[in-house]
Amino acid sequence: MKTPQVIDDLNLFDKILENTSKESKLFVSRSLAIANQILVLLDKKGLKQKDLANMLNKKEAEISRWLTGFHNFTVKSIAKIEAALGEQIIYTAQESQEEVSKAVHALTIKTPVFERANNPMQTKDFVSAGSMRATTSLYVLQRKTNKEKFSEEVIYIETAS
Amino acid sequence: MFVSIKRLGRLSFEKVYYYTVQKEDVAQSEFEDFLTRMEGCPDYAEQLGEILQFIKEIGEKHGAREAHFKHERAADALPPPYYIQPGKPNKFGLRLYCIRLSEEVVILLNGDLKTKNNPEECPNCRKHFRFANSLARKLDEAIKNREVILVDRELQFDDDFEIEL
């Protein structure tokens, strides 16, 4: 079996993109991200597009239009879909940060075997369970086994409280 | 006419590898020809940029889901259905014909500004539409006969496999 030859140079592709407005590129990026998030949620729940259409009293063709990737969603439409699916589709930057903090807190509560050293910049630092300091640092957590050997590593970001 | 499939190194992304084809005795591949010709149409510059950004986003992040492509008989096209052109210079907009073989493999071909609803009636798009469909049917047959196989993002061919259209 053989594989195709590769064309390495495609400078015109990059040149055209550079000359495209930031707004257009962001619109494509955001609308595709939302469409795909909905598709992921439908897959996760074992639902088809027609199921979502029925939940929202819409025609399947309209749902297909939303999910092609260039649809200009309104906040109201997103809210309706979130309500129907029982899942959040978009997060603001602030909401994302809060979700990360919650996850980190849950992680440290559930894993008391982690310990934190004094210097947060070293890669083999540990975090004390329940002791969330008011700093923003990057830590690598390592799980201590009974024999002081480390079997897992998790990277997390601790945010200001 | 023989054509050869080439992988676009610049468009080999984590989720999708993009390919194109080159006709024998032609200097540029089909996708390069599309970019060269469409770059010279300032009325459609934003639309072209959106299509390329779409290609990049699908390749890097999302994969080539069926929902993101317009079916054009045996082949496919971009932009997807219901796309609203920025500026709306004409009713139909640009069309880039392609072949979506899987969520990880897409062959980008050629296209133009569509002027009629039926691509067979559009003087700009007719030849690209027909070429895409001929190639799509050949590839479907080759895949069934296992002369062409898809391994994740890689296309692999029998050593003596050729495409004649």
Side-chain angles (χ1 to χ4, degrees):
Chain A
M1 299 298 271
K2 59 186 179 185
T3 54
Q5 283 183 342
V6 178
I7 297 175
D8 284 311
D9 179 16
L10 202 64
N11 292 332
L12 191 47
F13 183 91
D14 292 310
K15 182 184 168 200
I16 293 168
L17 271 184
E18 262 172 49
N19 293 333
T20 303
S21 69
K22 193 172 178 183
E23 180 187 329
S24 282
K25 288 189 281 195
L26 279 172
F27 167 66
V28 172
S29 181
R30 296 292 181 264
S31 54
L32 248 181
I34 292 170
N36 271 278
Q37 183 62 34
I38 296 169
L39 286 167
V40 164
L41 289 175
L42 288 176
D43 282 346
K44 178 181 156 188
K45 292 174 178 298
L47 298 172
K48 303 281 181 205
Q49 291 184 25
K50 67 177 179 186
D51 298 317
L52 183 60
N54 290 338
M55 288 160 131
L56 297 171
N57 287 323
K58 295 210 177 275
K59 292 185 181 167
E60 194 178 342
E62 188 169 352
I63 306 300
S64 294
R65 184 184 308 149
W66 291 354
L67 302 181
T68 55
F70 274 103
H71 185 67
N72 188 9
F73 288 93
T74 62
V75 176
K76 194 135 194 164
S77 300
I78 291 171
K80 282 182 184 171
I81 299 166
E82 288 184 339
L85 294 179
E87 298 261 5
Q88 196 158 344
I89 292 168
I90 56 172
Y91 288 81
T92 62
Q94 176 69 25
E95 283 175 324
S96 290
Q97 186 126 339
E98 284 166 8
E99 286 295 307
V100 168
S101 295
K102 276 188 222 169
V104 166
H105 185 69
L107 178 68
T108 53
I109 293 296
K110 283 178 184 172
T111 55
V113 295
F114 291 94
E115 294 181 347
R116 176 166 55 194
N118 290 328
N119 183 351
M121 298 312 292
Q122 289 180 4
T123 57
K124 294 194 179 197
D125 293 335
F126 313 100
V127 173
S128 299
S131 65
M132 301 288 282
R133 290 188 185 168
T135 57
T136 300
S137 309
L138 181 67
Y139 294 95
V140 172
L141 305 179
Q142 291 187 323
R143 183 189 295 279
K144 258 172 129 174
T145 64
N146 289 338
K147 294 183 180 178
E148 305 283 326
K149 284 183 185 173
F150 306 114
S151 60
E152 275 184 26
E153 286 194 7
V154 174
I155 297 177
Y156 85 106
I157 298 173
E158 186 179 80
T159 55
S161 58
Chain B
M1 167 184 49
F2 286 96
V3 300
S4 56
I5 297 183
K6 306 273 170 89
R7 178 160 67 87
L8 292 163
R10 169 64 186 90
L11 304 185
S12 295
F13 298 112
E14 188 167 326
K15 300 280 186 178
V16 179
Y17 274 8
Y18 287 100
Y19 297 79
T20 189
V21 300
Q22 192 155 353
K23 296 175 182 173
E24 65 178 330
D25 301 328
V26 173
Q28 278 194 319
S29 70
E30 288 298 284
F31 185 57
E32 287 167 299
D33 180 68
F34 173 77
L35 292 179
T36 305
R37 287 184 301 105
M38 295 303 107
E39 198 217 0
C41 304
D43 284 347
Y44 303 96
E46 276 303 286
Q47 198 176 140
L48 179 61
E50 287 189 349
I51 291 173
L52 299 193
Q53 182 69 20
F54 194 81
I55 287 169
K56 188 166 176 269
E57 293 278 334
I58 283 173
E60 286 175 343
K61 299 174 192 167
H62 303 297
R65 288 180 178 261
E66 202 176 339
H68 299 320
F69 292 80
K70 185 173 179 5
H71 295 301
E72 297 273 0
R73 280 199 212 144
D76 302 280
L78 286 172
Y82 314 115
Y83 168 73
I84 297 172
Q85 303 174 62
K88 290 190 187 174
N90 96 323
K91 191 175 174 186
F92 303 104
L94 293 181
R95 222 24 123 249
L96 168 64
Y97 293 97
C98 51
I99 299 169
R100 179 194 160 272
L101 288 178
S102 71
E103 282 198 14
E104 295 152 313
V105 175
V106 176
I107 303 176
L108 300 174
L109 298 168
N110 213 325
D112 209 307
L113 174 66
K114 197 161 179 248
T115 57
K116 297 279 184 189
N117 187 38
N118 183 345
E120 290 277 16
E121 292 171 11
C122 170
N124 297 336
C125 287
R126 181 188 305 135
K127 63 177 179 182
H128 303 302
F129 170 77
R130 287 177 180 172
F131 179 81
N133 272 278
S134 294
L135 180 62
R137 282 189 283 268
K138 280 279 179 180
L139 282 173
D140 279 345
E141 196 184 313
I143 289 169
K144 273 186 202 140
N145 296 336
R146 298 196 59 79
E147 295 171 287
V148 173
I149 61 171
L150 277 67
V151 180
D152 297 325
R153 292 164 294 171
E154 291 276 357
L155 271 176
Q156 294 180 8
F157 311 117
D158 262 355
D159 287 337
D160 55 359
F161 177 70
E162 286 181 317
I163 305 175
E164 188 177 7
L165 298 179

